[in-house]
PDB file of all heavy atoms in Angstrom:
ATOM      1  N   VAL A 260     348.003 147.291  32.919  1.00 98.00           N
ATOM      2  CA  VAL A 260     346.750 147.712  33.527  1.00 98.00           C
ATOM      3  C   VAL A 260     346.874 147.488  35.021  1.00 98.00           C
ATOM      4  O   VAL A 260     347.634 146.626  35.482  1.00 98.00           O
ATOM      5  CB  VAL A 260     345.533 146.956  32.952  1.00 98.00           C
ATOM      6  CG1 VAL A 260     345.378 147.236  31.472  1.00 98.00           C
ATOM      7  CG2 VAL A 260     345.635 145.462  33.205  1.00 98.00           C
ATOM      8  N   MET A 261     346.109 148.245  35.801  1.00 97.00           N
ATOM      9  CA  MET A 261     346.297 148.226  37.240  1.00 97.00           C
ATOM     10  C   MET A 261     344.952 148.388  37.945  1.00 97.00           C
ATOM     11  O   MET A 261     344.050 149.074  37.453  1.00 97.00           O
ATOM     12  CB  MET A 261     347.238 149.372  37.634  1.00 97.00           C
ATOM     13  CG  MET A 261     347.491 149.528  39.119  1.00 97.00           C
ATOM     14  SD  MET A 261     348.480 151.022  39.486  1.00 97.00           S
ATOM     15  CE  MET A 261     350.111 150.495  38.959  1.00 97.00           C
ATOM     16  N   ALA A 262     344.812 147.724  39.094  1.00 97.00           N
ATOM     17  CA  ALA A 262     343.740 147.966  40.049  1.00 97.00           C
ATOM     18  C   ALA A 262     344.402 148.297  41.385  1.00 97.00           C
ATOM     19  O   ALA A 262     345.622 148.438  41.454  1.00 97.00           O
ATOM     20  CB  ALA A 262     342.806 146.758  40.148  1.00 97.00           C
ATOM     21  N   GLU A 263     343.619 148.409  42.433  1.00 94.00           N
ATOM     22  CA  GLU A 263     344.199 148.822  43.710  1.00 94.00           C
ATOM     23  C   GLU A 263     345.154 147.784  44.284  1.00 94.00           C
ATOM     24  O   GLU A 263     346.121 148.133  44.956  1.00 94.00           O
ATOM     25  CB  GLU A 263     343.072 149.101  44.712  1.00 94.00           C
ATOM     26  CG  GLU A 263     342.252 150.342  44.352  1.00 94.00           C
ATOM     27  CD  GLU A 263     341.089 150.547  45.301  1.00 94.00           C
ATOM     28  OE1 GLU A 263     340.896 149.677  46.198  1.00 94.00           O
ATOM     29  OE2 GLU A 263     340.369 151.546  45.159  1.00 94.00           O
ATOM     30  N   GLU A 264     344.901 146.503  44.027  1.00 94.00           N
ATOM     31  CA  GLU A 264     345.703 145.451  44.647  1.00 94.00           C
ATOM     32  C   GLU A 264     346.353 144.521  43.645  1.00 94.00           C
ATOM     33  O   GLU A 264     346.809 143.430  44.012  1.00 94.00           O
ATOM     34  CB  GLU A 264     344.835 144.641  45.614  1.00 94.00           C
ATOM     35  CG  GLU A 264     344.255 145.458  46.753  1.00 94.00           C
ATOM     36  CD  GLU A 264     343.398 144.622  47.683  1.00 94.00           C
ATOM     37  OE1 GLU A 264     343.880 143.565  48.149  1.00 94.00           O
ATOM     38  OE2 GLU A 264     342.249 145.015  47.940  1.00 94.00           O
ATOM     39  N   MET A 265     346.427 144.928  42.375  1.00 96.00           N
ATOM     40  CA  MET A 265     347.060 144.071  41.382  1.00 96.00           C
ATOM     41  C   MET A 265     347.372 144.877  40.133  1.00 96.00           C
ATOM     42  O   MET A 265     346.800 145.940  39.885  1.00 96.00           O
ATOM     43  CB  MET A 265     346.154 142.897  41.012  1.00 96.00           C
ATOM     44  CG  MET A 265     344.957 143.307  40.192  1.00 96.00           C
ATOM     45  SD  MET A 265     343.738 142.016  40.097  1.00 96.00           S
ATOM     46  CE  MET A 265     343.207 142.020  41.803  1.00 96.00           C
ATOM     47  N   ALA A 266     348.316 144.343  39.357  1.00 97.00           N
ATOM     48  CA  ALA A 266     348.639 144.893  38.046  1.00 97.00           C
ATOM     49  C   ALA A 266     348.917 143.723  37.121  1.00 97.00           C
ATOM     50  O   ALA A 266     349.162 142.588  37.564  1.00 97.00           O
ATOM     51  CB  ALA A 266     349.850 145.825  38.125  1.00 97.00           C
ATOM     52  N   ALA A 267     348.878 143.980  35.826  1.00 97.00           N
ATOM     53  CA  ALA A 267     349.158 142.930  34.846  1.00 97.00           C
ATOM     54  C   ALA A 267     349.867 143.535  33.653  1.00 97.00           C
ATOM     55  O   ALA A 267     349.595 144.667  33.252  1.00 97.00           O
ATOM     56  CB  ALA A 267     347.869 142.237  34.402  1.00 97.00           C
ATOM     57  N   PHE A 268     350.802 142.762  33.090  1.00 95.00           N
ATOM     58  CA  PHE A 268     351.495 143.171  31.869  1.00 95.00           C
ATOM     59  C   PHE A 268     351.954 141.921  31.144  1.00 95.00           C
ATOM     60  O   PHE A 268     352.025 140.824  31.715  1.00 95.00           O
ATOM     61  CB  PHE A 268     352.681 144.091  32.173  1.00 95.00           C
ATOM     62  CG  PHE A 268     353.651 143.561  33.190  1.00 95.00           C
ATOM     63  CD1 PHE A 268     354.717 142.752  32.818  1.00 95.00           C
ATOM     64  CD2 PHE A 268     353.509 143.873  34.541  1.00 95.00           C
ATOM     65  CE1 PHE A 268     355.616 142.272  33.757  1.00 95.00           C
ATOM     66  CE2 PHE A 268     354.399 143.392  35.491  1.00 95.00           C
ATOM     67  CZ  PHE A 268     355.457 142.583  35.094  1.00 95.00           C
ATOM     68  N   LYS A 269     352.253 142.071  29.861  1.00 92.00           N
ATOM     69  CA  LYS A 269     352.733 140.948  29.047  1.00 92.00           C
ATOM     70  C   LYS A 269     354.257 140.906  29.096  1.00 92.00           C
ATOM     71  O   LYS A 269     354.915 141.939  29.016  1.00 92.00           O
ATOM     72  CB  LYS A 269     352.243 141.088  27.610  1.00 92.00           C
ATOM     73  CG  LYS A 269     350.735 140.960  27.463  1.00 92.00           C
ATOM     74  CD  LYS A 269     350.308 141.066  26.014  1.00 92.00           C
ATOM     75  CE  LYS A 269     348.806 140.923  25.887  1.00 92.00           C
ATOM     76  NZ  LYS A 269     348.352 141.039  24.480  1.00 92.00           N
ATOM     77  N   TRP A 270     354.766 139.674  29.182  1.00 84.00           N
ATOM     78  CA  TRP A 270     356.206 139.494  29.322  1.00 84.00           C
ATOM     79  C   TRP A 270     356.582 138.210  28.576  1.00 84.00           C
ATOM     80  O   TRP A 270     356.244 137.120  29.031  1.00 84.00           O
ATOM     81  CB  TRP A 270     356.554 139.370  30.801  1.00 84.00           C
ATOM     82  CG  TRP A 270     358.014 139.385  31.132  1.00 84.00           C
ATOM     83  CD1 TRP A 270     358.995 138.628  30.590  1.00 84.00           C
ATOM     84  CD2 TRP A 270     358.645 140.208  32.101  1.00 84.00           C
ATOM     85  NE1 TRP A 270     360.201 138.907  31.162  1.00 84.00           N
ATOM     86  CE2 TRP A 270     360.025 139.887  32.094  1.00 84.00           C
ATOM     87  CE3 TRP A 270     358.209 141.179  32.985  1.00 84.00           C
ATOM     88  CZ2 TRP A 270     360.943 140.502  32.929  1.00 84.00           C
ATOM     89  CZ3 TRP A 270     359.125 141.793  33.817  1.00 84.00           C
ATOM     90  CH2 TRP A 270     360.483 141.460  33.792  1.00 84.00           C
ATOM     91  N   GLN A 271     357.242 138.371  27.432  1.00 81.00           N
ATOM     92  CA  GLN A 271     357.533 137.222  26.579  1.00 81.00           C
ATOM     93  C   GLN A 271     356.244 136.463  26.297  1.00 81.00           C
ATOM     94  O   GLN A 271     355.268 137.025  25.847  1.00 81.00           O
ATOM     95  CB  GLN A 271     358.614 136.347  27.208  1.00 81.00           C
ATOM     96  CG  GLN A 271     359.995 137.016  27.178  1.00 81.00           C
ATOM     97  CD  GLN A 271     361.076 136.084  27.675  1.00 81.00           C
ATOM     98  OE1 GLN A 271     360.886 135.335  28.618  1.00 81.00           O
ATOM     99  NE2 GLN A 271     362.234 136.154  27.055  1.00 81.00           N
ATOM    100  N   GLY A 272     356.188 135.172  26.591  1.00 84.00           N
ATOM    101  CA  GLY A 272     355.017 134.370  26.254  1.00 84.00           C
ATOM    102  C   GLY A 272     354.018 134.249  27.377  1.00 84.00           C
ATOM    103  O   GLY A 272     353.172 133.354  27.338  1.00 84.00           O
ATOM    104  N   VAL A 273     354.076 135.117  28.382  1.00 91.00           N
ATOM    105  CA  VAL A 273     353.166 135.001  29.514  1.00 91.00           C
ATOM    106  C   VAL A 273     352.522 136.349  29.817  1.00 91.00           C
ATOM    107  O   VAL A 273     352.952 137.394  29.347  1.00 91.00           O
ATOM    108  CB  VAL A 273     353.897 134.493  30.786  1.00 91.00           C
ATOM    109  CG1 VAL A 273     354.539 133.146  30.540  1.00 91.00           C
ATOM    110  CG2 VAL A 273     354.927 135.514  31.270  1.00 91.00           C
ATOM    111  N   ILE A 274     351.454 136.273  30.599  1.00 94.00           N
ATOM    112  CA  ILE A 274     350.873 137.451  31.227  1.00 94.00           C
ATOM    113  C   ILE A 274     351.225 137.394  32.696  1.00 94.00           C
ATOM    114  O   ILE A 274     350.977 136.376  33.364  1.00 94.00           O
ATOM    115  CB  ILE A 274     349.352 137.503  31.032  1.00 94.00           C
ATOM    116  CG1 ILE A 274     349.020 137.753  29.553  1.00 94.00           C
ATOM    117  CG2 ILE A 274     348.723 138.586  31.904  1.00 94.00           C
ATOM    118  CD1 ILE A 274     347.548 137.690  29.233  1.00 94.00           C
ATOM    119  N   VAL A 275     351.827 138.440  33.198  1.00 94.00           N
ATOM    120  CA  VAL A 275     352.254 138.497  34.593  1.00 94.00           C
ATOM    121  C   VAL A 275     351.199 139.212  35.409  1.00 94.00           C
ATOM    122  O   VAL A 275     350.806 140.340  35.085  1.00 94.00           O
ATOM    123  CB  VAL A 275     353.609 139.215  34.740  1.00 94.00           C
ATOM    124  CG1 VAL A 275     354.019 139.271  36.208  1.00 94.00           C
ATOM    125  CG2 VAL A 275     354.681 138.524  33.909  1.00 94.00           C
TER     126      VAL A 275
END
Side-chain angles (χ1 to χ4, degrees):
V260 298
M261 177 186 285
E263 291 176 357
E264 299 180 52
M265 71 193 68
F268 52 88
K269 294 182 180 179
W270 189 309
Q271 289 186 321
V273 301
I274 292 174
V275 179

